[in-house]
């Protein structure tokens, strides 16, 4: 086992993230990442410091033929003591999870988008007939919401075999961490692009409805068209936010980073994973309740306008809670 793999192994067994190790070592996270990627080698002083932190000998760190760490004292070696065996994740397991997680992220994001767009049929039918809005529009709305719930259930079932990633400590087979870091590095540019696009769509979604209401204040057709465009833009934005965030979280689970470090798994709350999705379910429920009670379908879409403006804030809160 080379030094890079030993650092990864010791850090994970100690339940530390790269940031936490970097803080104790007095270096940047990028330095730790380079050590673990075999792109650079820590100097002698850093090796001595690492030996103290992990409770192993410098011989173990420096010599490839030393396969078992020798604790330097009883206190520093304590983090390496783990009564529960680590679950091995092979290259096949990691790739299979990434594929499943990508499908699950798409299903979850599609479900949320379906909930948001479920108000469009009733909005369009309100131009034709109030009776159609209360019958056919309502039926179509609940069919779309039912489809969304089905997607949520399917997404959860897909990831069920990998629940151990958020509950148990894992140990990756040789080469897995390097593969994951390479794929994660390539994905980060896509993640940033989708996140910016999604938030921008949510913020700008109010423009079509505002313009049509200002330019054609008496035209019900244009006002409804503006409202439908708002729903579609919000749905597209939230879809991108949910999908990219869920995909990014998959890498964190396998690398035991962010909130999935070993010492944080015990405090993991599975309910935190879909705050944005639950937020929009509540919004849709509020929209329906208000519209049915007041029968004011022509103006009740303002609930969606307000919700779309608040979506980036909700996402920011969710991201802060997760970290």
């Amino acid at each position: 086992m080379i030094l890079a793999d030993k650092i990864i192994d010791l850090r994970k067994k100690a339940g530390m993230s790269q940031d936490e190790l970097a803080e104790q070592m007095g270096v940047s996270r990028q330095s730790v990442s380079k050590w673990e990627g075999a792109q650079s080698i820590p100097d002698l002083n850093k090796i001595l410091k690492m030996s103290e932190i992990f409770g192993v000998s410098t011989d173990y760190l420096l010599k490839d033929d030393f396969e078992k760490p020798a604790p330097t004292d009883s206190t520093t070696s304590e983090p390496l003591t783990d009564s529960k065996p680590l679950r091995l994740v092979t290259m096949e397991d990691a790739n299979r999870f990434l594929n499943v997680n990508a499908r699950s992220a798409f299903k979850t994001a599609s479900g949320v988008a379906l909930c948001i767009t479920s108000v469009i049929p009733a909005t369009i039918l309100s131009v034709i007939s109030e009776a159609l809005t209360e019958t056919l529009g309502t039926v179509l709305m609940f069919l779309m919401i039912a489809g969304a719930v089905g997607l949520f259930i399917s997404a959860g079932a897909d990831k069920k075999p990998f629940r151990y990633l958020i509950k148990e400590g894992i140990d990756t087979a040789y080469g897995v961490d390097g593969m994951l870091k390479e794929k994660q590095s390539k994905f980060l540019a896509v993640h940033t692009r989708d996140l910016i696009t999604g938030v921008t769509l949510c913020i700008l979604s109010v423009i079509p409805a505002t313009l049509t209401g200002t330019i054609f204040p008496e035209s019900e057709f244009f006002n409804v068209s503006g409202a439908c465009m708002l729903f579609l833009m919000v749905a597209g934005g939230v879809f991108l936010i949910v999908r990219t965030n869920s995909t990014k979280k998959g890498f964190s689970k396998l690398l035991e980073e962010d909130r999935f470090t070993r010492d944080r798994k015990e405090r993991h709350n599975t309910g935190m994973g879909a705050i944005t999705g639950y937020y929009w379910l509540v919004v849709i429920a509020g929209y329906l309740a208000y519209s049915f009670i007041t029968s004011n379908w022509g103006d009740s879409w303002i609930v969606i306008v307000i919700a779309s403006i608040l979506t980036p804030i909700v996402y920011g809160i969710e991201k802060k809670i997760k970290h």
Side-chain angles (χ1 to χ4, degrees):
M1 186 184 295
I2 63 174
L3 175 59
D5 292 328
K6 290 179 181 179
I7 295 174
I8 293 171
D9 182 62
L10 291 169
R11 176 176 63 79
K12 287 188 173 183
K13 287 181 178 177
M16 299 170 64
S17 65
Q18 287 186 341
D19 288 322
E20 290 167 337
L21 176 57
E23 183 177 353
Q24 292 198 38
M25 291 289 295
V27 298
S28 65
R29 187 194 64 79
Q30 288 75 14
S31 295
V32 174
S33 179
K34 287 182 179 180
W35 296 343
E36 294 185 354
Q39 298 175 1
S40 66
I41 300 175
D43 59 35
L44 183 57
N45 289 331
K46 296 294 187 295
I47 292 291
L48 291 171
K49 181 69 174 177
M50 205 176 298
S51 172
E52 295 176 3
I53 292 174
F54 292 131
V56 297
S57 67
T58 54
D59 281 343
Y60 170 73
L61 291 171
L62 295 173
K63 296 181 180 180
D64 292 349
D65 57 346
F66 270 67
E67 293 301 327
K68 293 184 179 179
T72 56
D73 61 68
S74 59
T75 55
T76 55
S77 63
E78 185 176 351
L80 297 178
T81 303
D82 195 343
S83 58
K84 295 182 179 179
L86 297 177
R87 183 156 181 169
L88 180 67
V89 176
T90 64
M91 187 73 74
E92 182 183 358
D93 293 332
N95 281 314
R96 190 156 58 93
F97 171 73
L98 289 178
N99 291 332
V100 168
N101 188 66
R103 291 198 303 270
S104 176
F106 180 83
K107 289 180 181 179
T108 302
S110 297
V112 176
L114 203 56
C115 284
I116 297 171
T117 55
S118 66
V119 300
I120 291 179
T123 304
I124 294 174
L125 291 172
S126 65
V127 179
I128 303 173
S129 167
E130 185 175 333
L132 282 177
T133 302
E134 295 180 353
T135 54
L136 182 57
T138 303
V139 170
L140 292 174
M141 187 181 303
F142 280 103
L143 284 175
M144 293 174 72
I145 293 175
V149 173
L151 287 172
F152 295 147
I153 295 173
S154 177
D158 288 344
K159 292 196 295 185
K160 190 174 182 180
F162 299 96
R163 299 262 321 158
Y164 65 87
L165 290 174
I166 61 176
K167 293 183 177 181
E168 304 175 22
I170 62 172
D171 187 18
T172 52
Y174 181 78
V176 173
D177 273 32
M179 177 274 292
L180 290 171
K181 288 181 184 296
E182 183 179 355
K183 287 190 175 184
Q184 184 186 50
S185 178
K186 293 179 180 178
F187 172 72
L188 286 178
V190 178
H191 171 69
T192 302
R193 180 200 66 197
D194 286 353
L195 195 57
I196 292 174
T197 304
V199 173
T200 301
L201 279 173
C202 289
I203 294 174
L204 298 182
S205 63
V206 299
I207 293 179
T210 302
L211 287 177
T212 54
T214 303
I215 300 174
F216 307 102
E218 303 299 327
S219 174
E220 190 173 9
F221 171 78
F222 281 108
N223 286 331
V224 169
S225 298
C228 290
M229 184 60 68
L230 180 147
F231 298 143
L232 290 173
M233 290 179 68
V234 170
V238 174
F239 173 87
L240 290 173
I241 292 173
V242 173
R243 187 185 63 174
T244 192
N245 192 50
S246 298
T247 303
K248 182 176 181 291
K249 189 167 64 175
F251 288 105
S252 297
K253 289 178 181 179
L254 288 171
L255 291 169
E256 292 191 304
E257 294 177 341
D258 299 331
R259 69 187 182 101
F260 298 104
T261 55
R262 204 161 301 157
D263 61 330
R264 296 182 185 179
K265 286 182 179 179
E266 294 181 358
R267 301 193 299 271
H268 176 72
N269 183 349
T270 55
M272 293 296 183
I275 292 178
T276 305
Y278 295 147
Y279 164 74
W280 271 103
L281 287 175
V282 172
V283 168
I284 298 300
Y287 168 81
L288 292 174
Y290 175 79
S291 299
F292 278 121
I293 292 173
T294 64
S295 296
N296 191 12
W297 295 89
D299 297 326
S300 59
W301 55 267
I302 193 65
V303 174
I304 306 298
V305 175
I306 297 172
S308 66
I309 295 173
L310 295 177
T311 295
I313 299 175
V314 174
Y315 171 73
I317 294 172
E318 178 177 17
K319 188 174 180 181
K320 187 174 182 180
I321 291 174
K322 288 180 178 180
H323 286 75

mmCIF file of all heavy atoms in Angstrom, residues 12 18 34 41 46 55 65 75 103 137 145 155 170 207 228 249 275 280 286 288 316 321:
data_model
loop_
_atom_site.group_PDB
_atom_site.id
_atom_site.type_symbol
_atom_site.label_atom_id
_atom_site.label_comp_id
_atom_site.label_asym_id
_atom_site.label_seq_id
_atom_site.Cartn_x
_atom_site.Cartn_y
_atom_site.Cartn_z
ATOM 1 N N LYS A 12 -10.152 7.944 6.842
ATOM 2 C CA LYS A 12 -11.509 7.411 6.905
ATOM 3 C C LYS A 12 -11.746 6.636 8.192
ATOM 4 O O LYS A 12 -12.820 6.721 8.795
ATOM 5 C CB LYS A 12 -11.767 6.516 5.694
ATOM 6 C CG LYS A 12 -11.928 7.291 4.401
ATOM 7 C CD LYS A 12 -12.368 6.388 3.263
ATOM 8 C CE LYS A 12 -12.680 7.193 2.026
ATOM 9 N NZ LYS A 12 -13.182 6.350 0.918
ATOM 10 N N GLN A 18 -11.399 15.561 4.566
ATOM 11 C CA GLN A 18 -10.162 16.201 4.112
ATOM 12 C C GLN A 18 -9.981 17.561 4.772
ATOM 13 O O GLN A 18 -8.860 17.939 5.134
ATOM 14 C CB GLN A 18 -10.170 16.345 2.587
ATOM 15 C CG GLN A 18 -9.965 15.039 1.839
ATOM 16 C CD GLN A 18 -9.832 15.252 0.341
ATOM 17 O OE1 GLN A 18 -10.215 16.284 -0.192
ATOM 18 N NE2 GLN A 18 -9.278 14.257 -0.349
ATOM 19 N N LYS A 34 -4.060 16.444 -2.812
ATOM 20 C CA LYS A 34 -2.915 16.073 -3.648
ATOM 21 C C LYS A 34 -2.155 14.898 -3.042
ATOM 22 O O LYS A 34 -1.672 14.029 -3.759
ATOM 23 C CB LYS A 34 -1.987 17.269 -3.832
ATOM 24 C CG LYS A 34 -2.544 18.343 -4.762
ATOM 25 C CD LYS A 34 -1.561 19.481 -4.944
ATOM 26 C CE LYS A 34 -2.126 20.531 -5.907
ATOM 27 N NZ LYS A 34 -1.171 21.660 -6.098
ATOM 28 N N ILE A 41 3.938 14.684 -2.203
ATOM 29 C CA ILE A 41 4.288 13.934 -0.998
ATOM 30 C C ILE A 41 4.539 14.917 0.134
ATOM 31 O O ILE A 41 5.279 15.899 -0.049
ATOM 32 C CB ILE A 41 5.540 13.066 -1.226
ATOM 33 C CG1 ILE A 41 5.296 12.070 -2.358
ATOM 34 C CG2 ILE A 41 5.942 12.333 0.051
ATOM 35 C CD1 ILE A 41 6.521 11.260 -2.730
ATOM 36 N N LYS A 46 5.560 17.098 8.110
ATOM 37 C CA LYS A 46 4.151 16.734 7.957
ATOM 38 C C LYS A 46 3.950 15.243 8.226
ATOM 39 O O LYS A 46 2.931 14.838 8.788
ATOM 40 C CB LYS A 46 3.675 17.078 6.532
ATOM 41 C CG LYS A 46 3.699 18.566 6.219
ATOM 42 C CD LYS A 46 2.694 19.317 7.075
ATOM 43 C CE LYS A 46 2.583 20.778 6.652
ATOM 44 N NZ LYS A 46 3.819 21.538 6.876
ATOM 45 N N GLY A 55 -1.805 8.157 15.130
ATOM 46 C CA GLY A 55 -1.329 7.160 16.084
ATOM 47 C C GLY A 55 -0.640 5.983 15.426
ATOM 48 O O GLY A 55 -0.852 4.832 15.827
ATOM 49 N N ASP A 65 5.985 -1.729 2.466
ATOM 50 C CA ASP A 65 5.822 -3.112 2.902
ATOM 51 C C ASP A 65 5.238 -3.228 4.295
ATOM 52 O O ASP A 65 4.992 -4.324 4.784
ATOM 53 C CB ASP A 65 7.156 -3.873 2.841
ATOM 54 C CG ASP A 65 8.243 -3.190 3.670
ATOM 55 O OD1 ASP A 65 8.036 -2.022 4.057
ATOM 56 O OD2 ASP A 65 9.287 -3.824 3.915
ATOM 57 N N THR A 75 -3.470 6.747 23.466
ATOM 58 C CA THR A 75 -4.461 7.812 23.292
ATOM 59 C C THR A 75 -4.635 8.176 21.830
ATOM 60 O O THR A 75 -5.741 8.327 21.352
ATOM 61 C CB THR A 75 -4.039 9.066 24.095
ATOM 62 O OG1 THR A 75 -2.713 9.434 23.697
ATOM 63 C CG2 THR A 75 -4.060 8.763 25.574
ATOM 64 N N ARG A 103 -30.013 7.918 -11.836
ATOM 65 C CA ARG A 103 -31.415 7.663 -12.202
ATOM 66 C C ARG A 103 -32.360 8.163 -11.114
ATOM 67 O O ARG A 103 -33.410 8.753 -11.399
ATOM 68 C CB ARG A 103 -31.635 6.164 -12.425
ATOM 69 C CG ARG A 103 -30.951 5.610 -13.665
ATOM 70 C CD ARG A 103 -31.565 4.269 -14.067
ATOM 71 N NE ARG A 103 -31.493 3.294 -12.978
ATOM 72 C CZ ARG A 103 -30.485 2.462 -12.783
ATOM 73 N NH1 ARG A 103 -29.432 2.501 -13.586
ATOM 74 N NH2 ARG A 103 -30.511 1.602 -11.781
ATOM 75 N N GLY A 137 -59.761 19.919 -14.748
ATOM 76 C CA GLY A 137 -58.503 20.499 -14.290
ATOM 77 C C GLY A 137 -58.041 19.884 -12.987
ATOM 78 O O GLY A 137 -56.858 19.588 -12.800
ATOM 79 N N ILE A 145 -49.888 14.795 -9.747
ATOM 80 C CA ILE A 145 -49.301 14.685 -8.408
ATOM 81 C C ILE A 145 -49.108 13.220 -8.033
ATOM 82 O O ILE A 145 -48.090 12.843 -7.432
ATOM 83 C CB ILE A 145 -50.193 15.402 -7.371
ATOM 84 C CG1 ILE A 145 -50.175 16.919 -7.625
ATOM 85 C CG2 ILE A 145 -49.729 15.092 -5.954
ATOM 86 C CD1 ILE A 145 -51.108 17.702 -6.736
ATOM 87 N N ALA A 155 -37.765 6.265 -6.816
ATOM 88 C CA ALA A 155 -36.401 6.750 -6.556
ATOM 89 C C ALA A 155 -35.874 6.210 -5.232
ATOM 90 O O ALA A 155 -34.706 5.805 -5.123
ATOM 91 C CB ALA A 155 -36.382 8.275 -6.552
ATOM 92 N N ILE A 170 -17.475 2.894 5.613
ATOM 93 C CA ILE A 170 -17.109 2.091 4.446
ATOM 94 C C ILE A 170 -15.605 2.169 4.206
ATOM 95 O O ILE A 170 -14.930 3.106 4.635
ATOM 96 C CB ILE A 170 -17.857 2.546 3.173
ATOM 97 C CG1 ILE A 170 -17.487 3.994 2.817
ATOM 98 C CG2 ILE A 170 -19.352 2.396 3.343
ATOM 99 C CD1 ILE A 170 -18.037 4.449 1.478
ATOM 100 N N ILE A 207 -40.858 37.250 -14.623
ATOM 101 C CA ILE A 207 -40.851 38.238 -15.706
ATOM 102 C C ILE A 207 -41.987 38.027 -16.712
ATOM 103 O O ILE A 207 -42.702 38.986 -17.053
ATOM 104 C CB ILE A 207 -39.483 38.265 -16.423
ATOM 105 C CG1 ILE A 207 -38.418 38.787 -15.456
ATOM 106 C CG2 ILE A 207 -39.535 39.112 -17.688
ATOM 107 C CD1 ILE A 207 -37.019 38.826 -16.042
ATOM 108 N N CYS A 228 -48.546 30.315 -17.026
ATOM 109 C CA CYS A 228 -48.056 28.979 -17.410
ATOM 110 C C CYS A 228 -46.550 28.994 -17.659
ATOM 111 O O CYS A 228 -45.838 28.044 -17.305
ATOM 112 C CB CYS A 228 -48.783 28.494 -18.663
ATOM 113 S SG CYS A 228 -50.529 28.096 -18.392
ATOM 114 N N LYS A 249 -24.403 14.729 -4.162
ATOM 115 C CA LYS A 249 -24.453 14.051 -2.865
ATOM 116 C C LYS A 249 -24.008 12.599 -2.982
ATOM 117 O O LYS A 249 -23.460 12.030 -2.037
ATOM 118 C CB LYS A 249 -25.879 14.133 -2.302
ATOM 119 C CG LYS A 249 -26.001 13.649 -0.863
ATOM 120 C CD LYS A 249 -27.334 14.051 -0.276
ATOM 121 C CE LYS A 249 -28.497 13.405 -0.985
ATOM 122 N NZ LYS A 249 -29.796 13.694 -0.340
ATOM 123 N N ILE A 275 -35.704 18.629 1.242
ATOM 124 C CA ILE A 275 -36.393 19.807 1.759
ATOM 125 C C ILE A 275 -37.012 20.626 0.627
ATOM 126 O O ILE A 275 -38.156 21.067 0.714
ATOM 127 C CB ILE A 275 -35.419 20.681 2.579
ATOM 128 C CG1 ILE A 275 -35.023 19.952 3.863
ATOM 129 C CG2 ILE A 275 -36.055 22.019 2.908
ATOM 130 C CD1 ILE A 275 -34.043 20.706 4.719
ATOM 131 N N TRP A 280 -41.999 22.347 -2.183
ATOM 132 C CA TRP A 280 -42.903 22.545 -3.303
ATOM 133 C C TRP A 280 -44.189 21.743 -3.173
ATOM 134 O O TRP A 280 -45.246 22.172 -3.656
ATOM 135 C CB TRP A 280 -42.193 22.227 -4.620
ATOM 136 C CG TRP A 280 -41.511 23.450 -5.141
ATOM 137 C CD1 TRP A 280 -40.185 23.749 -5.087
ATOM 138 C CD2 TRP A 280 -42.155 24.580 -5.750
ATOM 139 N NE1 TRP A 280 -39.947 24.986 -5.625
ATOM 140 C CE2 TRP A 280 -41.139 25.521 -6.050
ATOM 141 C CE3 TRP A 280 -43.462 24.882 -6.070
ATOM 142 C CZ2 TRP A 280 -41.421 26.742 -6.652
ATOM 143 C CZ3 TRP A 280 -43.736 26.097 -6.674
ATOM 144 C CH2 TRP A 280 -42.728 27.012 -6.954
ATOM 145 N N GLY A 286 -50.938 24.365 -0.736
ATOM 146 C CA GLY A 286 -51.468 25.676 -0.365
ATOM 147 C C GLY A 286 -52.172 26.351 -1.522
ATOM 148 O O GLY A 286 -53.231 26.968 -1.357
ATOM 149 N N LEU A 288 -53.645 24.845 -4.072
ATOM 150 C CA LEU A 288 -54.918 24.156 -4.301
ATOM 151 C C LEU A 288 -55.957 24.567 -3.264
ATOM 152 O O LEU A 288 -57.122 24.846 -3.596
ATOM 153 C CB LEU A 288 -54.706 22.641 -4.265
ATOM 154 C CG LEU A 288 -53.885 22.037 -5.406
ATOM 155 C CD1 LEU A 288 -53.630 20.553 -5.149
ATOM 156 C CD2 LEU A 288 -54.612 22.217 -6.729
ATOM 157 N N GLY A 316 -30.757 27.287 -0.347
ATOM 158 C CA GLY A 316 -29.587 27.704 0.427
ATOM 159 C C GLY A 316 -29.653 27.213 1.860
ATOM 160 O O GLY A 316 -28.647 26.772 2.432
ATOM 161 N N ILE A 321 -27.960 23.309 6.078
ATOM 162 C CA ILE A 321 -28.316 22.268 7.046
ATOM 163 C C ILE A 321 -27.538 20.999 6.765
ATOM 164 O O ILE A 321 -27.043 20.323 7.679
ATOM 165 C CB ILE A 321 -29.834 21.990 7.005
ATOM 166 C CG1 ILE A 321 -30.602 23.193 7.574
ATOM 167 C CG2 ILE A 321 -30.166 20.734 7.822
ATOM 168 C CD1 ILE A 321 -32.101 23.072 7.443
#
